[in-house]
Amino acid sequence: MPSPTALPDLSAQARALLQRVLGRRDPFYGFGGMTCAVYDTAWVSMVTKTSRGLKQWLFPECFQYILNTQLEDGSWEATTSQTDGILNTASSLLSFIKHIRDPLQIRHTVDNNIQERIERATASLQSQLAEWDVSASSHVGFELTIPSLLELLEKEGYGFKFDERAELFRLRATKLKRFSPDLLYGKGKCSMIHSLESFIDKVDFDKVAHHKVHGSMMASPSSTAAYLMNISTWDDEAEAYLQHVVGASQNKDGGVPSAYPSTYFEYTWIISTLLQSGFSSADIDGPELNDIVETIVQAFRNHNGVIGFGSFPFLQPKLLGICRGLTVTAPSLDPDADDTSKGILALALLRNTDYEMIPLDRVIAMFETDTHFRTYPGERDPSYSANCHVLLAILHHPYKGFYAKQIRKVAQFLCDRWWTADGAIRDKWNHAYLYPFLLLAEAFTDLLALVDENGMPGLLDPDLISRVSITLFQACLRTMLLQKENGSWEDSVEITAYGILILSIARRLCFFEDIQDAVHSAIGNGINFVISADRTTQRYRSPFITESYVLAALKASTTPVTRNRMQPYIQLFQATPLFSGVPDWKMHASLIEAALFKPKLSALRLQIFPREDMEKDKYFAMIPFTWTACNNRLSTFAPTSLLFKMMVISFLNYQADEYMEAVIAPQFDGSLEKLRKKIGDLFISNVPDGDKPIDGCLSQFVKHVLEDEDIMRSSSWDRKHLRQQLRAFLLAHVDQMEDNISLATQPDKDVYSSVSRTFHEWVHTTSAYHTSCPYSLAYLSCLISASISHGADCFLTTRQKYFASDACQHLATMCRMYNDIGSITRDREESNLNSIDFPEFSTTNITTVWGKRSTIHDRKHTLFELAEYERSALEGALRNLRGNSKIPGISEMMIRAEKRKMAIWDMFIDVTNLYGQIYVLRDMSIRIKTK
């Protein structure tokens, strides 16, 4: 990594950035530095004006822009999401159709292969719609804009059918359930003003003119264009606004941004980003900083403690010559929690004396709900990033002690969303994978620092502290795991800057002390990418904000760190084939993550089964590590709540095994048939608890498994299957007890002589069920059914169910064989039936020729070979299962869901496989103390 002295003067660069920002501010229209958006440019390109009887396209340069940006496949780039690509392609296609129908003064441009372009765009849009997962979209307002575009295209003779169409229009109907045109005709503001193009043919545009501010409709070029296209009398002020926005394009290529101005958004983001990374106010001090700060402070004063993403200076054109520099502003563009929180944070980091004048009361009154903070009134889906910003604003507020309730609420919301998310959390305001990670890392680091300093005693309970710690660690670790070989994240300068900032935070956390070298190396690789990369290519963002993130990353990377060491369990795991090639730092990181789960697991450790007369449960420390290591090995990133529940089930399975042997077996000695009936009664709902075994522990265990809230939301088939497998698990213990008793009574315990079944039959039934693998996998399938499958069966078809069951059978059998290889000595000491005790193993080779029994070594070798046979059978079943997940005719959404199911199943198989490999290395079972 470059040394601090090798980097350019970062403070000078930061001051230069602020100078360029102020240099682009227009005294009348304000400041905006966002990159061009195809969607808004397409709408502006459709504006026509009739002057002196001559109708012309008003912005032919915008039409040229969408011509220049069409891709070979007919689409336009999806810069932020799949939904973004659909919006860009649909709006550009509509513009093409309008221009070919009425080319006006640019016929020479329109005639240039435009029909062929339309055909490619139409085919691309149909393909994109067919692959679209509507339910997964978080794009703001898509449920209004896309149906409107589709209807406008249908009016032009271009209809589109796709699987998710009904769901899309259902979402629009829900959104508009309480909508009335009067909402737009009245004086009150609402977010719909920002997207008036969604209401073409639905409202009278002449009646919304009063919402203009300096010619714009809520600073939206597309909305303003739609207004100008649909009014009965021309509006010179709206035209002037669009003329300015088109002319203000940084590249002067006809492209327009999605919002202009964006003064408060860009000012607050730039300042807070620089200061959070380690720049001091002195580092960036100057007249430009003072001007920006005054603008932010004045905005809060003028708008009663809340601000939106931008505002126009309160100046009339005739006053420009005498009022330059005036800081009074016009009414702000719809206040929101996001920009308000960023503004409060920026002023707090500057330690500005005016900061304390900004109370949080308006933020709370306007945006707080029962469970979280909304970005704006009427928001459909909560924003993860907005809630991170609110939490940061509160934590940095001088009177944060009055807002403990809100701190807990937001922390709980952020943890809940993280723990239930399958894979990445996608934020609707910034679709970059790492953006929510960065904000979460910033907010939770500050929160835990407050807890550590005891700044607000009793702020968080132990469970929430544990959840916050796990979430913070996972956000940082997964950032490391997602870094590409070239040092970048997603080959993007800005997103790589996010990654560097996250890892710079990680270096300050005690969690990462043991893997500092790996963190330092990852930061260095990221810095090298940022320094060498082309920064001229931008995503849908502000280049000024991008530069602030880059400078912040370079600054944060120079922070010194300390190092410590730890090493438990690593060598054991790396001795297994599964983890033999995994780098040390990944193993250490997974171990640290596992340790963070232990407080929550410990709180549940004695909830169901007692621990009297048991040796130390050494498996308890191992269990969370097996799950975190396997989850991180291939970057599966299963939901944290799923991981935690599987950890709990894992230690409960061990405890159930101990309890059956230590407590139940002695009490039912000689009456195992009665025990079988008692176990059967556990699965009959009308049998009173008092009639169920012993002290109700097994009853509690069964209820815990079957009545979990997520299990109850799974399909009836998966729940029934789980019930059957759990019953088989408990009954297998009775069968094992019976076999152990028979073996113990034999004079010769070397070969089990009381067999009623072949080894093959036993190892695929009693033995397999006894491992807990079949029922645990059924439990996991229920969790998948409740989440990924939305209540449908985890596996839908007959073939899928069959191959899944077959794979499970081979997995359980293989695991039991590995287990028995590692526990021969213990089983002999305790008279437990082991696979090698079956008569088949007394003649493993040709020893009968000499009349000799096979040695223990021979039997272990044979059992290992059989386990490897079961492994190959498992792999075959999994190949068939994966092959049958490609169901003909299913949507792209279902294809992705099928792949995700298999990824989580593979993680479970890795965990089970890992235990088997560990059993071969050492015996992890518990020995029961003699009473």
Side-chain angles (χ1 to χ4, degrees):
M1 184 172 75
S3 66
T5 56
L7 295 173
D9 185 346
L10 298 178
S11 297
Q13 290 193 50
R15 291 192 295 271
L17 168 63
L18 299 186
Q19 290 168 5
R20 291 199 305 277
V21 167
L22 265 293
R24 284 181 56 85
R25 184 175 63 183
D26 183 86
F28 182 69
Y29 289 107
F31 169 74
M34 302 288 286
T35 53
C36 295
V38 171
Y39 174 80
D40 287 80
T41 304
W43 274 104
V44 174
S45 76
M46 290 184 269
V47 178
T48 60
K49 181 181 181 180
T50 302
S51 179
R52 297 179 181 180
L54 179 65
K55 181 180 178 182
Q56 290 189 323
W57 294 109
L58 192 57
F59 300 104
E61 62 266 56
C62 294
F63 182 69
Q64 188 63 51
Y65 179 90
I66 63 172
L67 282 174
N68 294 342
T69 52
Q70 187 180 22
L71 302 177
E72 283 298 319
D73 66 355
S75 71
W76 281 259
E77 184 181 7
T79 53
T80 61
S81 67
Q82 186 183 26
T83 306
D84 185 53
I86 292 171
L87 283 165
N88 291 344
T89 304
S91 56
S92 297
L93 174 60
L94 182 62
S95 178
F96 278 3
I97 294 168
K98 286 180 177 292
H99 279 77
I100 198 172
R101 186 187 64 206
D102 201 1
L104 301 178
Q105 85 276 18
I106 57 172
R107 179 176 296 278
H108 63 285
T109 302
V110 173
D111 287 346
N112 186 21
N113 298 325
I114 193 70
Q115 185 59 49
E116 184 267 338
R117 286 174 174 268
I118 288 175
E119 291 171 1
R120 285 192 288 123
T122 302
S124 174
L125 181 57
Q126 181 62 65
S127 176
Q128 292 179 65
L129 290 169
E131 297 175 357
W132 189 28
D133 182 358
V134 170
S135 63
S137 179
S138 59
H139 199 289
V140 178
F142 79 92
E143 68 274 30
L144 296 181
T145 51
I146 294 181
S148 177
L149 277 170
L150 293 176
E151 288 174 341
L152 292 172
L153 287 168
E154 285 172 2
K155 287 179 64 176
E156 300 289 346
Y158 291 79
F160 296 88
K161 295 181 179 179
F162 52 101
D163 292 342
E164 299 279 296
R165 183 184 174 95
E167 174 63 14
L168 173 64
F169 279 81
R170 185 195 67 78
L171 287 175
R172 182 175 73 165
T174 301
K175 181 81 170 183
L176 296 179
K177 194 171 184 180
R178 297 181 181 179
F179 171 75
S180 165
D182 292 336
L183 290 173
L184 292 173
Y185 301 157
K187 294 183 179 180
K189 289 184 178 182
C190 66
S191 59
M192 295 176 184
I193 300 170
H194 189 75
S195 53
L196 289 176
E197 67 272 20
S198 301
F199 299 94
I200 293 174
D201 297 332
K202 297 177 178 63
V203 299
D204 184 345
F205 278 77
D206 289 336
K207 294 182 179 180
V208 300
H210 59 286
H211 288 301
K212 283 186 306 167
V213 178
H214 285 211
S216 88
M217 287 297 175
M218 201 171 276
S220 167
S222 60
S223 186
T224 307
Y227 161 76
L228 203 49
M229 292 162 61
N230 289 279
I231 51 176
S232 58
T233 303
W234 190 253
D235 191 318
D236 290 329
E237 190 181 20
E239 178 190 348
Y241 165 76
L242 290 178
Q243 292 283 8
H244 174 78
V245 173
V246 173
S249 168
Q250 294 189 54
N251 297 324
K252 307 299 181 184
D253 55 4
V256 302
S258 61
Y260 188 99
S262 48
T263 313
Y264 303 150
F265 165 63
E266 297 195 66
Y267 281 8
T268 59
W269 250 257
I270 291 168
I271 296 301
S272 61
T273 298
L274 292 174
L275 294 174
Q276 280 182 286
S277 68
F279 285 99
S280 67
S281 56
D283 290 335
I284 58 175
D285 195 20
E288 293 79 18
L289 176 64
N290 294 334
D291 198 329
I292 289 173
V293 172
E294 178 59 26
T295 299
I296 297 171
V297 170
Q298 192 68 51
F300 276 111
R301 287 174 178 163
N302 291 348
H303 309 308
N304 300 316
V306 289
I307 60 175
F309 66 86
S311 182
F312 295 92
F314 189 64
L315 298 170
Q316 297 299 323
K318 64 182 180 180
L319 299 177
L320 289 180
I322 60 174
C323 296
R324 292 186 184 277
L326 192 64
T327 56
V328 177
T329 55
S332 176
L333 301 167
D334 238 14
D336 62 79
D338 221 11
D339 292 286
T340 299
S341 298
K342 269 292 193 182
I344 292 172
L345 176 62
L347 295 178
L349 294 170
L350 284 165
R351 292 174 172 80
N352 189 279
T353 55
D354 291 301
Y355 167 69
E356 294 190 20
M357 299 173 60
I358 305 169
L360 292 170
D361 297 353
R362 281 293 307 283
V363 178
I364 291 170
M366 288 188 68
F367 305 115
E368 186 180 20
T369 72
D370 291 341
T371 59
H372 63 277
F373 280 77
R374 59 194 174 194
T375 313
Y376 52 83
E379 183 179 39
R380 182 171 67 92
D381 298 313
S383 163
Y384 202 80
S385 64
N387 279 271
C388 288
H389 288 143
V390 169
L391 181 56
L392 280 164
I394 297 174
L395 292 173
H396 285 268
H397 199 279
Y399 303 120
K400 54 182 166 287
F402 293 105
Y403 304 104
K405 174 186 172 184
Q406 284 75 24
I407 292 173
R408 284 191 292 269
K409 175 183 293 187
V410 178
Q412 188 71 52
F413 168 79
L414 295 175
C415 284
D416 288 345
R417 283 285 298 272
W418 182 274
W419 280 55
T420 56
D422 182 32
I425 287 182
R426 295 289 186 181
D427 189 73
K428 60 187 176 184
W429 302 115
N430 185 330
H431 291 262
Y433 194 103
L434 289 187
Y435 186 65
F437 286 36
L438 172 59
L439 300 183
L440 181 75
E442 292 172 342
F444 275 8
T445 298
D446 289 347
L447 177 59
L448 289 181
L450 181 63
V451 172
D452 288 343
E453 295 163 2
N454 204 26
M456 292 175 64
L459 176 62
L460 306 182
D461 61 41
D463 182 73
L464 188 51
I465 291 174
S466 180
R467 281 161 58 85
V468 167
S469 301
I470 292 167
T471 303
L472 173 58
F473 182 83
Q474 288 181 336
C476 296
L477 173 60
R478 292 177 184 180
T479 299
M480 289 185 69
L481 295 172
L482 291 169
Q483 188 175 28
K484 300 183 71 171
E485 289 187 5
N486 64 357
S488 79
W489 282 266
E490 299 187 36
D491 294 312
S492 161
V493 169
E494 181 171 333
I495 298 174
T496 299
Y498 298 164
I500 295 168
L501 288 169
I502 294 168
L503 297 187
S504 297
I505 291 171
R507 292 198 308 172
R508 307 200 310 264
L509 300 173
C510 62
F511 310 145
F512 287 88
E513 288 175 350
D514 191 49
I515 56 171
Q516 283 291 328
D517 289 342
V519 176
H520 189 76
S521 176
I523 291 173
N525 293 335
I527 291 294
N528 289 333
F529 174 83
V530 167
I531 291 174
S532 61
D534 178 10
R535 302 187 198 177
T536 60
T537 56
Q538 302 291 338
R539 296 170 70 94
Y540 165 66
R541 293 287 289 169
S542 157
F544 299 106
I545 292 178
T546 296
E547 186 172 350
S548 72
Y549 276 116
V550 170
L551 291 173
L554 295 173
K555 181 72 173 179
S557 68
T558 64
T559 305
V561 295
T562 58
R563 293 173 173 79
N564 289 317
R565 296 289 171 196
M566 59 183 287
Q567 185 67 22
Y569 295 122
I570 302 296
Q571 292 178 348
L572 174 63
F573 275 41
Q574 288 183 321
T576 65
L578 194 63
F579 285 95
S580 60
V582 176
D584 283 354
W585 74 263
K586 286 189 179 182
M587 299 303 298
H588 280 288
S590 296
L591 181 62
I592 297 165
E593 182 182 354
L596 293 173
F597 277 98
K598 286 177 69 176
K600 281 183 64 64
L601 293 170
S602 296
L604 301 175
R605 180 167 165 263
L606 302 178
Q607 190 175 47
I608 294 177
F609 292 108
R611 298 292 311 153
E612 294 89 353
D613 299 314
M614 301 289 177
E615 290 186 1
K616 183 179 179 181
D617 46 356
K618 56 185 177 180
Y619 59 77
F620 191 79
M622 178 73 75
I623 284 170
F625 189 23
T626 62
W627 286 98
T628 57
C630 291
N631 188 44
N632 293 331
R633 188 177 78 91
L634 297 177
S635 298
T636 303
F637 303 157
T640 306
S641 60
L642 182 147
L643 281 183
F644 180 71
K645 288 190 175 187
M646 294 309 298
M647 291 175 190
V648 173
I649 283 296
S650 296
F651 80 69
L652 286 178
N653 292 345
Y654 275 104
Q655 290 182 343
D657 184 70
E658 297 165 13
Y659 189 76
M660 290 292 287
E661 290 187 43
V663 179
I664 300 297
Q667 294 193 20
F668 283 84
D669 187 20
S671 55
L672 294 182
E673 283 305 316
K674 181 179 178 182
L675 175 56
R676 287 189 176 94
K677 182 180 183 306
K678 286 286 189 179
I679 289 174
D681 289 344
L682 289 172
F683 297 87
I684 301 175
S685 58
N686 60 0
V687 176
D689 281 354
D691 293 340
K692 292 175 183 178
I694 319 304
D695 54 1
C697 289
L698 287 183
S699 180
Q700 281 184 271
F701 172 60
V702 171
K703 283 185 176 180
H704 175 88
V705 174
L706 298 181
E707 297 180 12
D708 174 89
E709 59 181 355
D710 288 329
I711 300 302
M712 297 300 290
R713 292 190 293 109
S714 64
S715 74
S716 59
W717 192 94
D718 283 308
R719 290 199 309 274
K720 182 178 179 180
H721 183 58
L722 171 61
R723 192 178 191 87
Q724 292 168 344
Q725 294 297 322
L726 179 58
R727 183 174 182 274
F729 167 66
L730 294 175
L731 288 175
H733 281 77
V734 184
D735 293 340
Q736 182 77 44
M737 291 175 196
E738 194 168 50
D739 288 330
N740 291 345
I741 292 170
S742 297
L743 179 63
T745 59
Q746 290 184 187
D748 179 5
K749 297 181 176 58
D750 187 52
V751 177
Y752 185 39
S753 60
S754 303
V755 292
S756 57
R757 291 171 289 177
T758 65
F759 170 68
H760 181 274
E761 183 181 359
W762 175 83
V763 80
H764 284 91
T765 53
T766 298
S767 174
Y769 292 130
H770 189 268
T771 65
S772 79
C773 174
Y775 113 75
S776 297
L777 195 46
Y779 183 87
L780 176 69
S781 297
C782 281
L783 296 180
I784 293 173
S785 167
S787 55
I788 297 174
S789 299
H790 304 292
D793 291 354
C794 178
F795 293 107
L796 297 171
T797 69
T798 304
R799 291 184 179 86
Q800 283 184 318
K801 288 181 171 69
Y802 184 89
F803 291 130
S805 295
D806 192 44
C808 177
Q809 193 72 44
H810 291 301
L811 178 64
T813 302
M814 179 187 74
C815 184
R816 177 54 188 257
M817 290 177 173
Y818 281 141
N819 188 345
D820 281 2
I821 290 170
S823 62
I824 292 172
T825 301
R826 179 182 68 89
D827 287 341
R828 295 252 160 159
E829 291 176 1
E830 298 181 1
S831 295
N832 293 328
L833 182 63
N834 188 289
S835 293
I836 68 166
D837 297 329
F838 274 77
E840 290 93 326
F841 284 87
S842 65
T843 55
T844 55
N845 296 305
I846 58 172
T847 54
T848 51
V849 175
W850 304 293
K852 296 180 180 179
R853 290 180 179 175
S854 298
T855 64
I856 296 295
H857 175 77
D858 289 337
R859 298 181 192 186
K860 287 177 68 173
H861 181 74
T862 300
L863 185 57
F864 183 81
E865 289 179 335
L866 294 177
E868 290 301 295
Y869 169 81
E870 291 293 335
R871 178 188 299 282
S872 65
L874 165 65
E875 291 169 354
L878 289 174
R879 280 195 299 273
N880 284 320
L881 179 58
R882 290 191 182 92
N884 278 272
S885 67
K886 301 172 183 177
I887 305 170
I890 65 173
S891 66
E892 283 295 318
M893 177 182 68
M894 290 186 67
I895 290 173
R896 286 191 292 271
E898 291 297 312
K899 289 180 180 178
R900 192 62 184 148
K901 290 176 194 176
M902 288 309 306
I904 294 175
W905 250 56
D906 286 343
M907 177 189 66
F908 178 94
I909 291 167
D910 277 355
V911 172
T912 307
N913 200 3
L914 175 61
Y915 276 113
Q917 293 176 13
I918 290 174
Y919 286 138
V920 174
L921 296 173
R922 58 191 281 194
D923 180 13
M924 287 299 299
S925 301
I926 299 297
R927 296 183 183 229
I928 303 168
K929 291 182 178 179
T930 304
K931 291 191 178 182

